[in-house]
């Protein structure tokens, strides 16, 4: 598959749908990656802290998309000590943003691979990260088994998945405006406490911890602060709509935002993620 052309047909329909979804979303993710760097950094902090990275480590970042947390982690690695980060993703088109944003970072390299079948030797990496990727993998247990296989004994895997929709203002508002699009449900697949942890224990990890990560910010309601999320997370849903339908969605979002805007023109935007940390 090339980053430019359409993806080749895949014998597994669910996987093929995911490949097409992310292939079509790559440009939007690349376009917004720089302006989303600050919120992305806030999410990276607890994830990277949980990994306790050392400059000589090999970190495998799964589902890197436009490059986080791989790029941030790679900047802290020491090539002289063998430190490196492998940014991997199912879809080469999604890695285009990571390649552009990570150009010149000597410790960063790229790998197009399905996380359920990694072309890596057993026990070959010290750490694994995955930020908002596992939800999209139909056979998540196979992906976690692969993480366990390629991680060295004593290694750590840390992942972020979304918590409940009710705790995620942007997804809740956009879902209401879009009228319950199928792309949304999968985001909350591991929202219930304990679901992620069970997967990792069943795969053979020694210790597993799961923490709720809740953040709140005030957004300027007069600005379309919701547009990056709409473009990136709902590319296929938008592509299915006419220009009039898309304009109607934007009107509904604006109206919903107005209802929740405070006297000072700000709207509270809550985020609820789940941080999973597993030790092998
Ligand atoms: C929401 S994006 C997350 C990107 C990035 N980690 C971030 O947090 O900004 C989800 C990514 O998961 C990738 N993905 C979906 N299924 C995958 C699989 N089976 N193996 C590897 N990556 C996969 C998609 O291509 C997409 O880039």
């Amino acid at each position: 598959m090339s980053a430019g052309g359409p993806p080749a047909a895949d014998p597994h329909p669910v996987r093929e749908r995911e490949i097409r979804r992310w292939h079509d979303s790559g440009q939007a993710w690349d376009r917004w990656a720089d302006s989303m760097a600050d919120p992305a950094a806030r999410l990276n902090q607890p994830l990277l802290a949980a990994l306790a990275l050392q400059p000589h480590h090999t970190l495998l970042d799964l589902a890197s998309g436009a490059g986080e947390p791989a790029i941030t982690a790679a900047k802290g690695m020491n090539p002289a000590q063998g430190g490196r980060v492998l940014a991997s993703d199912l879809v080469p088109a999604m890695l285009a943003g990571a390649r552009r944003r990570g150009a010149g970072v000597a410790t960063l390299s790229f790998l197009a691979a399905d996380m359920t079948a990694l072309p890596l030797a057993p026990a070959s990496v010290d750490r694994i990260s995955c930020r908002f990727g596992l939800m999209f993998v139909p056979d998540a247990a196979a992906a976690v088994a692969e993480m366990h296989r390629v991680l060295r004994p004593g290694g750590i895997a840390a992942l972020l998945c979304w918590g409940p929709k009710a705790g995620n203002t942007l997804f809740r508002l956009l879902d209401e405006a879009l009228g319950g699009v199928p792309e949304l449900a999968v985001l909350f697949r591991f929202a219930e406490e304990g679901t992620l942890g069970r997967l990792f224990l069943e795969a053979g990890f020694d210790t597993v911890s799961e923490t709720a990560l809740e953040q709140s910010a005030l957004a300027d309601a007069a600005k379309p602060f919701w547009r990056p999320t709409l473009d990136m997370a709902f590319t296929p849903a938008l592509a299915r709509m006419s220009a009039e339908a898309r304009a109607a969605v934007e009107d509904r979002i604006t109206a919903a935002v107005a209802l929740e805007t405070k006297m000072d023109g700000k709207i509270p935007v809550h985020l609820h993620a789940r941080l999973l940390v597993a030790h092998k």
Side-chain angles (χ1 to χ4, degrees):
M1 196 197 306
S2 78
D10 190 282
H12 305 289
V14 180
R15 189 172 176 274
E16 183 174 351
R17 194 187 61 214
E18 279 302 314
I19 292 175
R20 186 159 293 281
R21 168 188 183 163
W22 295 109
H23 177 85
D24 294 347
S25 305
Q27 280 188 351
W29 281 74
D30 188 11
R31 192 166 58 246
W32 287 113
D34 295 330
S35 49
M36 294 297 281
D38 282 352
R42 281 200 298 276
L43 287 165
N44 278 347
Q45 278 162 12
L47 183 63
L48 294 174
L51 286 168
L53 284 169
Q54 300 293 313
H56 63 274
H57 276 161
T58 295
L59 168 71
L60 169 65
D61 184 41
L62 299 167
S64 296
E68 288 300 340
I71 297 171
T72 301
K75 289 178 180 164
M77 294 299 184
N78 184 343
Q81 293 178 26
R84 66 188 193 114
V85 175
L86 200 49
S88 70
D89 200 281
L90 175 66
V91 178
M94 283 297 290
L95 284 176
R99 287 181 191 279
R100 178 183 64 76
R101 300 179 66 241
V105 181
T107 49
L108 184 65
S109 54
F110 302 93
L111 173 71
D114 186 332
M115 69 170 94
T116 64
L118 294 167
L120 298 173
S124 56
V125 305
D126 301 293
R127 299 287 187 263
I128 295 177
S129 55
C130 182
R131 204 182 76 172
F132 303 123
L134 189 63
M135 305 88 78
F136 303 106
V137 183
D139 192 349
V144 179
E146 274 296 78
M147 292 182 210
H148 190 265
R149 184 183 68 81
V150 302
L151 196 59
R152 68 151 162 87
I156 304 174
L159 288 84
L160 280 180
C161 289
W162 292 113
K165 182 170 71 176
N168 284 289
T169 309
L170 268 172
F171 290 134
R172 176 176 58 72
L173 290 174
L174 297 181
D175 185 38
E176 285 162 14
L178 284 158
V181 292
E183 286 84 356
L184 198 90
V186 73
L187 297 180
F188 307 109
R189 192 170 156 204
F190 299 117
E192 194 188 321
E193 191 178 349
T195 19
L196 262 180
R198 265 194 300 282
L199 264 183
F200 280 76
L201 286 174
E202 282 164 14
F205 281 88
D206 275 355
T207 60
V208 167
S209 74
E210 216 185 297
T211 320
L213 183 69
E214 294 181 66
Q215 297 178 354
S216 292
L218 288 173
D220 183 348
K223 295 192 178 141
F225 63 91
W226 40 267
R227 194 178 296 284
T229 306
L230 176 68
D231 277 3
M232 293 190 293
F234 300 102
T235 309
L238 295 174
R240 291 195 294 270
M241 292 177 193
S242 64
E244 293 75 24
R246 281 202 294 273
V249 164
E250 297 202 0
D251 289 346
R252 285 199 292 278
I253 298 171
T254 308
V257 166
L259 280 178
E260 297 184 22
T261 299
K262 308 288 180 205
M263 297 290 282
D264 61 0
K266 304 280 188 200
I267 173 170
V269 179
H270 306 294
L271 175 156
H272 184 158
R274 304 204 66 77
L275 173 65
L276 183 287
V277 184
H279 291 245
K280 178 175 172 183

